[in-house]
Amino acid sequence: MSRFTEAELRATARTKTTVYESSERVLRASAEYPTYDVFLSHARIDADLILGIKVTLEKSGNSVYVDWIDDPHLDRANVSAATAATLQRRMNQSRSLIYATSPRSSRSVWMPWELGYFNGIKSAESIAILPIEGTGSYPGQEFVGLYPLAEKGYASGTVAPRVVITRGGPLRRRTKSLDALIAGADHYRLDT
């Protein structure tokens, strides 16, 4: 398994955009799901990387919620009861949460709140941390280490990356599918 890189995610995002379309416009056009397989918790400053993650997750047939795409009316700079209520409703509509970390995500005031809320309403087995390459430690956010990782893997005979959920170190790594995460299942298998 390996981590998704910023360059790789930007390249994936570019497959969905043209010179005339912004990443945000493409993402907003795809926001049509009343329920979601994945709530993508992230720092808004990583918008171009988030598009790459969203595209990768959707290639597996999953619906993905991104707040500034699906609910563009929300004011992220203003922490309010209305914003919190909207995010709570969206998390209640989501089957799993992927927490995308980057060197910039520690600036987000919403990410830790989303993780805590989601953990309270769903199973911890429905949560994974997706560290973008270069992110390995979480100073001040050690709680992130409690969850499994969403990493890059490949299905047999394919070249397109997919998301695989992993736990444990290199000698005792266990994996489960993205579908198992979405279902909240604890169906890990030991890698050999």
Side-chain angles (χ1 to χ4, degrees), residues 31-89:
E32 58 190 47
Y33 298 97
T35 60
Y36 303 91
D37 294 317
V38 177
F39 182 101
L40 189 52
S41 181
H42 65 284
R44 174 68 168 89
I45 196 167
D46 290 327
D48 56 337
L49 303 175
I50 298 311
L51 176 58
I53 295 169
K54 181 175 172 61
V55 169
T56 300
L57 292 168
E58 288 176 341
K59 283 182 180 178
S60 299
N62 298 298
S63 57
V64 181
Y65 174 81
V66 176
D67 61 348
W68 48 271
I69 296 161
D70 296 286
D71 291 311
H73 63 282
L74 295 179
D75 181 2
R76 275 134 218 94
N78 180 20
V79 176
S80 70
T83 299
T86 299
L87 292 173
Q88 287 172 328
R89 185 174 63 255

Side-chain angles (χ1 to χ4, degrees), residues 11 20 37 39 50 73 86 98 101-103 120-121 125 139 157 161 167 191:
Y20 308 165
D37 294 317
F39 182 101
I50 298 311
H73 63 282
T86 299
I98 292 183
T101 63
S102 76
I121 63 166
E125 290 300 329
R167 269 203 183 279
D191 282 358

Side-chain angles (χ1 to χ4, degrees), residues 10-192:
R10 283 191 178 94
T12 301
R14 280 192 299 273
T15 66
K16 289 289 186 186
T17 60
T18 68
V19 174
Y20 308 165
E21 294 181 297
S22 70
S23 298
E24 191 169 327
R25 182 173 167 193
V26 170
L27 285 169
R28 194 167 282 121
S30 69
E32 58 190 47
Y33 298 97
T35 60
Y36 303 91
D37 294 317
V38 177
F39 182 101
L40 189 52
S41 181
H42 65 284
R44 174 68 168 89
I45 196 167
D46 290 327
D48 56 337
L49 303 175
I50 298 311
L51 176 58
I53 295 169
K54 181 175 172 61
V55 169
T56 300
L57 292 168
E58 288 176 341
K59 283 182 180 178
S60 299
N62 298 298
S63 57
V64 181
Y65 174 81
V66 176
D67 61 348
W68 48 271
I69 296 161
D70 296 286
D71 291 311
H73 63 282
L74 295 179
D75 181 2
R76 275 134 218 94
N78 180 20
V79 176
S80 70
T83 299
T86 299
L87 292 173
Q88 287 172 328
R89 185 174 63 255
R90 296 303 191 190
M91 285 185 274
N92 288 330
Q93 292 174 293
S94 299
R95 297 172 65 198
S96 67
L97 179 136
I98 292 183
Y99 191 90
T101 63
S102 76
R104 295 159 299 279
S105 61
S106 64
R107 297 183 215 158
S108 171
V109 296
W110 288 105
M111 288 178 68
W113 179 83
E114 291 166 350
L115 181 63
Y117 180 83
F118 199 89
N119 191 87
I121 63 166
K122 308 278 180 163
S123 162
E125 290 300 329
S126 299
I127 299 171
I129 308 302
L130 192 150
I132 298 166
E133 190 175 76
T135 308
S137 63
Y138 312 98
Q141 295 188 333
E142 289 78 11
F143 57 87
V144 171
L146 299 173
Y147 301 95
L149 297 178
E151 296 185 287
K152 181 173 51 174
Y154 297 90
S156 215
T158 66
V159 294
R162 63 186 176 105
V163 175
V164 176
I165 311 306
T166 66
R167 269 203 183 279
L171 299 177
R172 299 268 311 145
R173 184 173 309 269
R174 298 174 295 140
T175 62
K176 71 178 180 180
S177 68
L178 178 60
D179 289 340
L181 178 81
I182 291 169
D186 186 17
H187 297 298
Y188 287 94
R189 66 174 175 78
L190 187 61
D191 282 358
T192 53

